[in-house]
Amino acid sequence: MPGAPARPGAIVVGPESELELQLGSTMRIRLLPGTNLTLPAPPGRWLGRTRRLEVRSGEAFGTTAGPLGFAFQLRTPEATATLTGTSF
């Protein structure tokens, strides 16, 4: 449903679907068919500012509108990357 809030946890996109997530005002993520990922909770105000998006399978494309203000990692079965304000 357009505009529905995304909650932290597992997200599985069906084989004939796509999903686009808007995370705050700084990040947008597009998930292609068959993608399975774990969406992290928002960062804490003072502590626990590192967040990790885990893509277990499938494809995710994202873009940010500049620095995020917290440490953000993208983890896949093949690699882990730290995002600093870019497209991935």
Side-chain angles (χ1 to χ4, degrees), residues 54-80:
E54 294 190 45
V55 181
R56 299 176 191 275
S57 63
E59 295 181 70
F61 298 92
T63 188
T64 64
L68 299 173
F70 58 93
F72 192 79
Q73 292 181 338
L74 174 65
R75 178 181 241 171
T76 72
E78 291 83 22
T80 299

Side-chain angles (χ1 to χ4, degrees), residues 25-27 63-69 83-87:
S25 61
T26 57
M27 184 180 295
T63 188
T64 64
L68 299 173
L83 304 177
T84 59
T86 187
S87 296

